Amino acid sequence: MAFPSDTGYKQLFSFPELALELLRVAVPQGWTKKIRPSDFARLNASYVSPNGTHRDDDVVWCVHRFRRPSIYMLIEFQSIPDKWMATRMQGYAALLSDDLIKARRATHGKEPLLLPIVVYSGRETWPYRKSLGAFRPQAPPGLESLQPELNYVLIDRSIGTGVIRAVLEIDRADDEATDIPALTRMLSVWLERQHNDLLSRTLTAWVQMRLSAQFPDADLGRELTMEKIAMMFEHDFRNYTEVLEYRTLLRGRREGREEGLREGLQEGRQEGRQEGRQEGLQEGWQEGQQEGAKNALLAERRNTVMLLLEHAGKPLSQAGAQVLEQATPEQLLNWIHDLIDSASVPPELLRR
């Protein structure tokens, strides 16, 4: 199953600057710090196997090293876990090696050095081991050393910090735990150091496309800079809050409608009259809709106030938490506006 961002990944990692970041994450060794974007050469990732099978790899880079054999990065993009990924990568690596040997890219008659990388963009944890022999039964005596072997590097959102992590997080920024302002600012600072206008435009457009898909109600106009995207999600918080409130209201209406229908049907049956059933349906639906929407909106606004207080470095005291729990929707909305517009913390929430 391919996600719409798969093509975008190929486009992003066609830039040597991002390929270098990927190399340093995949192989966190001292020698990778000496590699520069100018050492990368993109290779044709399309070739035909001896039996006529056509193969298109996602991205292949040749990494040139001074007075050392070159390294060939074979990069595959995966959106769902695949138990047989090592077997697939073995086939891709064999085709790539064969093509490199035919093109006389082998160094001093030796096999090319390969670096197989799987970039995994899914939120589900990758559950499989990353070696070819992980699922192989025990070989009988005499066959152990004859079994083919291949390991690959898995890059996912557990890799820590950095540009690659930011890209993977933004690709699935579909929950409130994703710190969009921090991620986009990180990318903005990194792009400034690259001095590559095309890379900057491409990565910014990709980020905008992914965030628009995750937050369809947010006003992400065209040609925003990375910094402006960060500011919109941090300083102009009202837009983001409106998205959350909109979704909360929809959820509240759905829950209220279901509850109202149940209550209305029960009341109507008890009265035993069609007229009572209809009135119960209508009344129950309206009351359930209003109550469900109100409760959901209260919870969402409380969460927004707490998030803004965390941004302001003002965590709630126990007394402040009680005040927040008892606040009305109007009070909560006023506090949100105060925190956004003037960064002033309501004194009621600072009680000790």
Side-chain angles (χ1 to χ4, degrees), residues 45-280:
S46 178
Y47 28 77
V48 180
S49 66
N51 63 1
T53 303
H54 187 268
R55 163 67 191 159
D56 283 312
D57 280 324
D58 282 344
V59 175
V60 176
W61 283 101
C62 175
V63 184
H64 299 287
R65 297 187 299 160
F66 182 66
R67 294 182 179 179
R68 295 287 190 277
S70 296
I71 298 172
Y72 296 91
M73 289 175 57
L74 171 60
I75 308 172
E76 290 291 316
F77 303 110
Q78 193 73 14
S79 54
I80 58 175
D82 185 349
K83 180 178 181 179
W84 308 112
M85 196 70 224
T87 302
R88 288 174 52 199
M89 292 299 285
Q90 182 200 32
Y92 304 159
L95 285 174
L96 175 60
S97 295
D98 185 61
D99 191 69
L100 292 172
I101 292 171
K102 289 178 180 177
R104 297 185 178 181
R105 286 182 173 269
T107 306
H108 304 298
K110 296 182 178 180
E111 286 280 344
L113 289 175
L114 301 183
L115 173 56
I117 299 176
V118 175
V119 178
Y120 171 55
S121 59
R123 279 206 174 275
E124 177 187 354
T125 301
W126 188 273
Y128 305 119
R129 292 175 59 186
K130 298 173 283 294
S131 65
L132 190 61
F135 306 101
R136 181 186 299 132
Q138 184 176 0
L143 296 186
E144 301 95 337
S145 62
L146 300 178
Q147 303 310 305
E149 189 56 86
L150 180 135
N151 299 320
Y152 62 88
V153 180
L154 180 74
I155 303 297
D156 60 12
R157 53 182 31 86
S158 68
I159 59 176
T161 60
V163 171
I164 303 301
R165 168 70 179 271
V167 169
L168 291 173
E169 284 289 344
I170 288 176
D171 185 36
R172 299 293 179 84
D174 51 6
D175 60 38
E176 295 177 57
T178 303
D179 192 345
I180 297 174
L183 295 172
T184 49
R185 282 204 167 88
M186 177 196 302
L187 293 178
S188 179
V189 172
W190 179 78
L191 285 172
E192 288 180 5
R193 295 200 304 262
Q194 306 311 309
H195 304 292
N196 186 332
D197 290 339
L198 180 57
L199 170 61
S200 181
R201 291 196 302 271
T202 302
L203 182 54
T204 303
W206 181 85
V207 168
Q208 190 172 343
M209 177 192 69
R210 297 307 302 150
L211 291 179
S212 295
Q214 306 301 334
F215 302 99
D217 302 300
D219 184 15
L220 284 171
R222 294 184 178 182
E223 299 182 0
L224 287 177
T225 64
M226 201 76 74
E227 182 64 23
K228 287 182 179 179
I229 293 174
M231 291 176 63
M232 194 210 85
F233 276 89
E234 185 172 55
H235 298 301
D236 194 13
F237 215 89
R238 283 165 291 187
N239 284 351
Y240 185 46
T241 304
E242 288 172 3
V243 175
L244 297 178
E245 290 185 356
Y246 173 76
R247 292 181 176 176
T248 300
L249 285 172
L250 288 181
R251 185 170 61 250
R253 287 172 185 167
R254 182 176 62 252
E255 293 173 354
R257 184 181 300 111
E258 293 173 355
E259 183 179 352
L261 285 172
R262 288 193 298 269
E263 292 179 359
L265 285 171
Q266 183 178 1
E267 184 178 345
R269 290 192 185 100
Q270 290 173 351
E271 292 180 359
R273 293 183 293 116
Q274 180 66 27
E275 195 174 307
R277 181 183 294 111
Q278 292 176 347
E279 291 177 359

Side-chain angles (χ1 to χ4, degrees), residues 7 25 29 36 49 62 106 112 141 179 238 316 322 336 341 352:
T7 301
V25 170
Q29 302 293 330
R36 296 293 178 264
S49 66
C62 175
D179 192 345
R238 283 165 291 187
L316 276 173
Q322 293 177 353
I336 290 171
D341 295 335
R352 296 294 177 185

